[in-house]
Amino acid sequence: MPQIALTNHSQFPQTVSSSENHRCCSFLLELDVCNSEVMSKYWAVLLLVLIQLHCSDGCPELCQCFSAAKVICADEAMKALPVNISAQVRELIVVASGVTHLDSRSFRENLRLTKLVILNGLVKTVSHDAFDRLLELRELEISGNSYWLIFEVQTFGSLTNLTRLLLNNNKISALDVGIFDSLQKLEMLQLKGNNLFCLHGHLFRHLHKLQELDLSFNQISSVSADVFQNNSRLRALSLQSNKIPELPAGIFAHLDNLEELNLRSNHISNLSTNVFPSSLRKLILKKNMLTQLHSTIFHKLHHVTYLDLSQNQLSEVPTDLFQNLISLKKLDLSENRITTLPGTLFKGLFSVKALHLQKNNLSSLEEDLLKDQHDMEQLHLSMNSLRSIPRGFFDELDFQCIVQLHGNPWRCDCGIQYLSDWIRNNQRNVEDVAQLYCQAPEFIRGHSLVSVDKERLACVENSSFEFQSSSDTNITEIPLDGNDDIHCSLRDIKGMATIQCKLTKCTSVKFQALFEFVDGSESERVVSKEWPAPAGCSSGT
């Protein structure tokens, strides 16, 4: 049977102190395996247990020390932060503890933490001197507390080396001016998921190195025009899911390096011209209350690659709205009320790869709308009011482009011949191709567009009910005994039968058809359809 021996090759004492605990893992294990056999799973498990027990010697109670520099504590029974932490520890992470207060006694002297994380706890207050001994701290996170967290104005006064501060989901309702003044090295600040109602103009005044600011999921309804005037290095700003009704003029005027701006899910109904900095690369205006856009609102945004205007209330789009967005790769206009799009709307936008137009009220499209989009990868036109597609519409698309067309009331007659042919040749490029259904004519309603024979995609002239004979058309009058108020004719076009009737009296109509086969037998299927008299009908046809 294999024998395992623990050998101390560094001549350390058998009992390891907490300050030397990090060296225990340098012990070498000598394995004397009989007959050169592979060690069994039993001994492997035992070996791991021995290592864990030996290396955890001296670790604070209710904590795990997975390395000399990192301690993780997670226990509701913990009412105070551990004080017997090794001087080698650089990261302390406390999860779901019972700690309710942080003050000067929470951390012992000479502690050289660079990262402190307190998550999902019960912290209520943080005193002004809580972090006075953590002079080397670079990252601090206190997030997910169950109570309304309150900070004193000098709480972060000693953290002059801090570069990352995360205070998310703490129910913070107000922040005193000056609370961040000492954090002049701060590069990232997250305050999302709190209950902030307004942003004071001087709140971030000394954060000159700030690059990322997240204020999403608050209750902000008032924003000062000068709130970001000293944050010229800001690159990413999120104000998502607040209650902002408008953006003050000049609010982003000093943000010459801003690349990402997220304004999703606010109450913005109008945008002033020149409100956005020209440095933007990603702009999200999704789910606001925009009803119209000025034609020059985006004219400075030459670097924008992503623009999201979805879930607004736009009914029309100015012809030159996007004319200067030469870097645009993805444009989302979905879930608006747009009825038409100018044929030159996307002219010159050669880099567009994704265009989302689904869930609008589009009833028609211009033939040259996609003339310059040779590199398109996604085109979403589903859930509109389209009845046909103009001839040549898809001709400029790359063969790899994925198209969505379902959820439109397609009219399956000669006007859809181009779309039918294109789908047959590019079925792998159409998502949910089996969900494309004919809405009209009546006799073909509900049929899958791709299953309809080309011969049935014919147009019927119905303007005068007077049929003109041709070489491929056979017209037969249908006699109706004893009824002079209705005249019907059967028209046969290349094997497709069409019945048209003209009424000379205001009345309801019921149609029934029983099919008879060549051998004289009758089909069990009876087609029946009834039309009521038109509303307001008196005695007209």
Side-chain angles (χ1 to χ4, degrees), residues 227-245:
V227 66
F228 306 123
Q229 69 174 358
N230 292 334
N231 312 123
S232 60
R233 296 191 183 183
L234 202 61
R235 299 178 63 176
L237 172 61
S238 179
L239 289 162
Q240 175 183 346
S241 296
N242 280 283
K243 298 180 179 180
I244 301 172

Side-chain angles (χ1 to χ4, degrees), residues 47-162:
L47 176 60
L48 291 174
V49 171
L50 289 173
I51 293 175
Q52 177 66 24
L53 290 175
H54 200 61
C55 293
S56 62
D57 185 27
C59 191
E61 188 178 1
L62 305 179
C63 300
Q64 293 289 329
C65 300
F66 294 102
S67 71
K70 188 172 184 177
V71 176
I72 300 178
C73 309
D75 199 303
E76 293 181 357
M78 178 180 288
K79 303 302 180 182
L81 297 182
V83 293
N84 58 329
I85 299 178
S86 168
Q88 282 74 34
V89 174
R90 295 292 178 268
E91 297 183 18
L92 174 60
I93 301 174
V94 181
V95 182
S97 72
V99 177
T100 58
H101 303 281
L102 296 177
D103 54 31
S104 60
R105 296 168 296 178
S106 299
F107 307 97
R108 67 172 181 81
E109 294 183 7
N110 302 321
L111 197 60
R112 301 181 61 187
L113 291 180
T114 59
K115 180 177 180 178
L116 173 63
V117 177
I118 301 176
L119 297 176
N120 303 329
L122 303 174
V123 179
K124 297 180 181 179
T125 59
V126 181
S127 69
H128 69 281
D129 57 355
F131 306 119
D132 283 358
R133 295 177 176 178
L134 304 181
L135 301 180
E136 297 185 26
L137 201 64
R138 295 183 179 276
E139 180 175 349
L140 171 63
E141 178 170 7
I142 304 176
S143 296
N145 281 283
S146 301
Y147 296 103
W148 295 76
L149 187 57
I150 300 175
F151 294 98
E152 296 184 28
V153 69
Q154 296 297 326
T155 297
F156 308 115
S158 61
L159 302 180
T160 56
N161 289 311
L162 204 66

Side-chain angles (χ1 to χ4, degrees), residues 137-425:
L137 201 64
R138 295 183 179 276
E139 180 175 349
L140 171 63
E141 178 170 7
I142 304 176
S143 296
N145 281 283
S146 301
Y147 296 103
W148 295 76
L149 187 57
I150 300 175
F151 294 98
E152 296 184 28
V153 69
Q154 296 297 326
T155 297
F156 308 115
S158 61
L159 302 180
T160 56
N161 289 311
L162 204 66
T163 60
R164 295 165 59 92
L165 177 60
L166 296 83
L167 304 172
N168 302 321
N169 304 305
N170 292 311
K171 302 180 181 179
I172 300 171
S173 59
L175 292 169
D176 294 329
V177 175
I179 192 171
F180 301 129
D181 283 2
S182 63
L183 308 181
Q184 297 186 20
K185 293 184 180 179
L186 198 67
E187 296 177 359
M188 185 185 77
L189 174 60
Q190 291 188 1
L191 291 163
K192 61 185 178 182
N194 287 291
N195 288 307
L196 297 174
F197 289 91
C198 64
L199 297 179
H200 192 278
H202 299 296
L203 187 59
F204 310 121
R205 61 186 174 182
H206 291 297
L207 305 184
H208 301 292
K209 294 187 177 181
L210 194 64
Q211 297 182 26
E212 180 182 333
L213 177 59
D214 194 339
L215 295 160
S216 57
F217 297 95
N218 278 280
Q219 304 293 323
I220 300 171
S221 59
S222 175
V223 185
S224 174
D226 58 352
V227 66
F228 306 123
Q229 69 174 358
N230 292 334
N231 312 123
S232 60
R233 296 191 183 183
L234 202 61
R235 299 178 63 176
L237 172 61
S238 179
L239 289 162
Q240 175 183 346
S241 296
N242 280 283
K243 298 180 179 180
I244 301 172
E246 62 179 350
L247 299 172
I251 186 173
F252 307 126
H254 303 281
L255 305 184
D256 296 331
N257 294 295
L258 191 65
E259 296 182 356
E260 296 186 18
L261 177 58
N262 189 348
L263 295 166
R264 174 178 176 171
S265 299
N266 277 280
H267 298 167
I268 302 171
S269 59
N270 187 42
L271 295 171
S272 59
T273 57
N274 299 320
V275 66
F276 300 119
S278 58
S279 56
L280 279 182
R281 297 179 181 274
K282 184 176 183 179
L283 175 58
I284 302 176
L285 288 161
K286 179 177 183 176
K287 204 172 184 180
N288 275 278
M289 297 181 178
L290 296 170
T291 57
Q292 60 182 358
L293 294 170
H294 193 275
S295 60
T296 62
I297 189 69
F298 303 131
H299 275 201
K300 297 194 306 180
L301 308 186
H302 307 296
H303 304 292
V304 161
T305 60
Y306 180 91
L307 177 58
D308 191 344
L309 291 164
S310 62
Q311 294 187 34
N312 278 279
Q313 300 173 24
L314 300 172
S315 58
E316 60 181 16
V317 184
T319 302
D320 53 352
L321 183 63
F322 308 124
Q323 70 174 11
N324 288 347
L325 306 187
I326 56 177
S327 301
L328 192 62
K329 292 185 177 180
K330 180 175 181 179
L331 174 61
D332 195 337
L333 286 165
S334 63
E335 297 188 61
N336 278 280
R337 302 173 181 177
I338 302 170
T339 56
T340 60
L341 295 172
T344 59
L345 184 62
F346 308 126
K347 183 179 180 181
L349 305 184
F350 300 104
S351 300
V352 173
K353 294 185 178 296
L355 181 56
H356 291 186
L357 297 167
Q358 70 271 23
K359 295 186 179 181
N360 276 283
N361 295 326
L362 292 170
S363 58
S364 63
L365 297 169
E366 296 289 334
E367 179 182 343
D368 57 350
L369 184 66
L370 305 178
K371 182 178 180 180
D372 293 338
Q373 282 65 63
H374 308 294
D375 296 329
M376 189 85 74
E377 296 176 356
Q378 293 180 5
L379 175 59
H380 293 180
L381 291 166
S382 57
M383 308 301 290
N384 275 282
S385 300
L386 296 172
R387 296 166 67 85
S388 64
I389 294 291
R391 184 168 297 276
F393 183 79
F394 295 124
D395 290 0
E396 300 295 333
L397 296 184
D398 186 87
F399 68 94
Q400 294 183 344
C401 182
I402 302 300
V403 180
Q404 286 187 1
L405 295 167
H406 60 274
N408 284 286
W410 301 112
R411 181 173 182 83
C412 298
D413 58 14
C414 61
I416 209 170
Q417 187 69 61
Y418 167 77
L419 176 61
S420 176
D421 291 341
W422 185 84
I423 290 177
R424 293 175 192 277
N425 295 326

